Amino acid sequence: MHAVRDHDLAVAQLRRSYEAVPPGQPVRLAKRTSNLFRPRNAPRTPGLDVSGLDGVLGVDPVARTAEVQGMCTYERLVDATLAHGLMPLVVPQLRTITLGGAVTGLGIESTSFRNGLPHESVIELDVLTGAGEVVSARREGEHADLFAAFPNSLGSLGYATRLRIELQPVRRHVALRNVRFTDLSELTAAIGQITASRSWDGEPVDALDGVMFSPDEAYLVLGTFADDVPAVSDYTGQDIYYRSLRRRQRDALTCYDYLWRWDTDWFWCSAAFGVQHPVVRRLWPTRWRRSDVYHRIVRLEHRHQVAARIDRWRGQPPRERVVQDVEIPLERTAEFLHWFADRVRMSPVWLCPLRLREPTGAGSARSWPLYPLRPAQDYVNIGFWGTVPIAEGAADGDVNREIERAVSEVGGHKSLYSDAYYDRDSFDRLYGGDTWRAVRDRYDPEHRLTGLYEKAVARA
């Protein structure tokens, strides 16, 4: 645990690094790792020093809360909370996603059908603004506008230095049921039923996600927290988690392994590096079977284009990167999945039901203007990550633009961690442009932070 004094010193160092950025130069974090898939221009000025803001300040097992620094990874936070039989309400599926990153850039996981998104469990947060000041924001009070606009602002309104978040009790294991569907309409009907009742066939459901291999082969994975299970599986060795859905109707994992079940193989994307081949897997060190290692390889490839040059030498067409997570209203999900399978032809895809949290106590539903999902609406997050060949006469980005149009046509939204192609007017309409500008003008009057559109679309 980090001492409060150490946290204060780290914040002071952060502010000094902010003051060292010359006026008129962009302000951005100095960090070596990232879970973003947006290529960015190389910085020419010193970045903000966040090196001392990566820890857990404390866990209160009675209040079920945690005080966490903005650059703390979920891996580190989970290590601290599980010791108390607790976990965050939503734990994004990759170990090195940070708390600040999940709140300012969104995150999702299998508890999102009942707990919403990570920012919804934030009680308060301290933010270094574009004016170089640190303010404490809550849902109510002087900085409520910043609190509401911070999610999906991607650092364009400031950087979280400290967050207080809610926690939930968990048990030692997660018992799993892998339910197969051959009709996507039946699958979406089941999601609606589970979201409403939080149960299936008389058994409680605490966690819910799934995988579509094709429109006539898809699975929902129903998780139930449990202290005792007959046996547990291990997918950190030779076995590969997503393949198990096709051969096991029942399964169980330790709670820890369940939280990171997708990280070992980066869902299924480790296949691109040969890590799923039995011989390569035995030789590939276990400590390197994790998403941040694969992500570093991708960044190296983007920089040096080795695989792309080999493909050209072999006479293969260039490929377009299609890495997206989109939220589709439940009633349009089957329609979108059929379109995606027919037009984009990427498989598998991840399915993660989502519903914003219901308000507790008095007051209206929460409003998150920069990612305006509708309260009381069931959505399904659909994640697809890979490349497609660029057809003759087409251009790089055409498939992504087509996906953006299709998502908008069914009333959905897409996350901005990857490539985006919207024109500015469309972007402002979809991502709360008027609200963003008003909040930016208040907290960053000199516009020192890079704008949201510039970050997400212009790759600044």
Side-chain angles (χ1 to χ4, degrees):
M1 299 288 184
H2 279 49
V4 173
R5 180 177 179 275
D6 292 338
H7 174 71
D8 291 341
L9 292 173
V11 172
Q13 178 57 36
L14 172 66
R15 296 184 68 172
R16 285 194 294 271
S17 66
Y18 169 91
E19 293 166 359
V21 178
Q25 295 297 317
V27 176
R28 64 186 356 163
L29 298 182
K31 58 192 296 279
R32 293 178 296 175
T33 61
S34 173
N35 284 285
L36 296 178
F37 275 84
R38 295 191 312 274
R40 294 177 293 175
N41 298 329
R44 298 180 179 179
T45 56
L48 300 181
D49 183 354
V50 293
S51 58
L53 293 169
D54 61 354
V56 179
L57 296 171
V59 176
D60 185 335
V62 176
R64 294 179 181 171
T65 61
E67 296 269 352
V68 188
Q69 294 178 301
M71 298 303 299
C72 179
T73 64
Y74 274 92
E75 180 176 33
R76 181 170 291 182
L77 174 59
V78 163
D79 287 346
T81 62
L82 285 184
H84 299 278
L86 300 168
M87 63 175 267
L89 270 62
V90 179
V91 178
Q93 58 274 10
L94 304 181
R95 294 173 183 264
T96 56
I97 292 175
T98 64
L99 272 290
V103 171
T104 194
L106 302 185
I108 194 169
E109 237 298 330
S110 58
T111 55
S112 289
F113 81 104
R114 58 190 180 88
N115 290 339
L117 298 171
H119 59 266
E120 296 190 85
S121 58
V122 174
I123 300 168
E124 66 177 18
L125 70 162
D126 294 346
V127 178
L128 175 73
T129 69
E133 301 297 325
V134 176
V135 302
S136 294
R138 302 172 185 82
R139 186 184 180 192
E140 307 291 343
E142 180 184 2
H143 304 296
D145 56 346
L146 179 60
F147 185 88
F150 197 73
N152 206 45
S153 62
L154 306 179
S156 66
L157 297 177
Y159 299 101
T161 62
R162 179 193 63 89
L163 307 95
R164 181 184 300 157
I165 65 169
E166 300 175 65
L167 304 174
Q168 64 176 329
V170 291
R171 298 183 179 179
R172 291 180 297 172
H173 302 101
V174 182
L176 302 174
R177 287 174 285 167
N178 303 324
V179 183
R180 177 173 175 167
F181 292 86
T182 58
D183 184 298
L184 292 177
S185 295
E186 293 180 2
L187 179 142
T188 56
I191 290 173
Q193 179 181 335
I194 294 168
T195 300
S197 66
R198 299 189 182 180
S199 65
W200 180 258
D201 279 349
E203 297 181 41
V205 177
D206 298 312
L208 174 65
D209 68 343
V211 173
M212 184 187 80
F213 292 94
S214 68
D216 58 4
E217 185 189 5
Y219 298 83
L220 290 181
V221 181
L222 285 52
T224 304
F225 297 139
D227 284 326
D228 299 309
V229 294
V232 295
S233 297
D234 180 2
Y235 297 106
T236 63
Q238 291 300 107
D239 286 343
I240 297 168
Y241 175 66
Y242 80 97
R243 294 182 179 177
S244 72
L245 308 187
R246 288 174 141 168
R247 54 185 171 85
R248 291 184 173 176
Q249 293 183 339
R250 295 269 179 171
D251 204 350
L253 294 169
T254 67
C255 186
Y256 182 88
D257 283 348
Y258 175 78
L259 294 177
W260 306 128
R261 68 202 180 284
W262 291 120
D263 190 87
T264 300
D265 284 286
W266 214 14
F267 288 82
W268 34 80
C269 298
S270 64
F273 314 108
V275 181
Q276 295 183 23
H277 188 284
V279 174
V280 175
R281 198 170 186 85
R282 282 194 293 270
L283 297 174
W284 193 287
T286 302
R287 68 183 183 278
W288 290 356
R289 292 182 207 147
R290 44 185 291 145
S291 59
D292 53 334
V293 172
Y294 306 136
H295 205 147
R296 284 197 291 270
I297 296 173
V298 169
R299 288 201 300 273
L300 287 172
E301 166 58 26
H302 177 76
R303 184 181 306 164
H304 300 293
Q305 298 288 303
V306 175
R309 287 200 294 268
I310 293 174
D311 285 345
R312 286 195 297 271
W313 177 73
R314 292 177 173 175
Q316 296 179 357
R319 301 186 69 85
E320 176 180 348
R321 185 175 65 186
V322 181
V323 177
Q324 305 288 353
D325 276 75
V326 299
E327 268 79 51
I328 306 298
L330 179 62
E331 62 272 15
R332 306 292 297 273
T333 294
E335 173 191 348
F336 179 84
L337 287 172
H338 279 293
W339 174 87
F340 185 87
D342 180 64
R343 175 63 186 91
V344 184
R345 300 178 183 178
M346 289 176 61
S347 176
V349 300
W350 188 51
L351 308 174
C352 188
L354 158 69
R355 184 185 179 100
L356 294 182
R357 290 179 70 187
E358 300 294 338
T360 57
S364 59
R366 294 174 173 86
S367 175
W368 309 106
L370 271 61
Y371 204 75
L373 301 179
R374 296 190 297 274
Q377 167 71 58
D378 293 330
Y379 293 86
V380 177
N381 174 278
I382 302 171
F384 37 92
W385 317 292
T387 63
V388 297
I390 300 175
E392 186 175 353
D396 188 15
D398 283 356
V399 173
N400 279 281
R401 291 184 180 92
E402 190 173 356
I403 292 170
E404 288 180 350
R405 288 192 294 270
V407 169
S408 294
E409 287 171 1
V410 297
H413 261 71
K414 62 172 275 185
S415 177
L416 298 173
Y417 71 89
S418 188
D419 298 306
Y421 296 84
Y422 299 108
D423 62 75
R424 189 178 289 272
D425 288 344
S426 298
F427 186 88
D428 283 350
R429 174 176 51 82
L430 292 169
Y431 298 101
D434 289 342
T435 298
W436 176 81
R437 276 187 288 272
V439 176
R440 184 196 198 191
D441 286 346
R442 179 183 177 190
Y443 294 95
D444 183 14
E446 296 182 6
H447 295 182
R448 298 201 65 189
L449 299 177
T450 303
L452 181 58
Y453 182 83
E454 286 71 24
K455 279 177 172 281
V457 181
R459 302 179 179 180

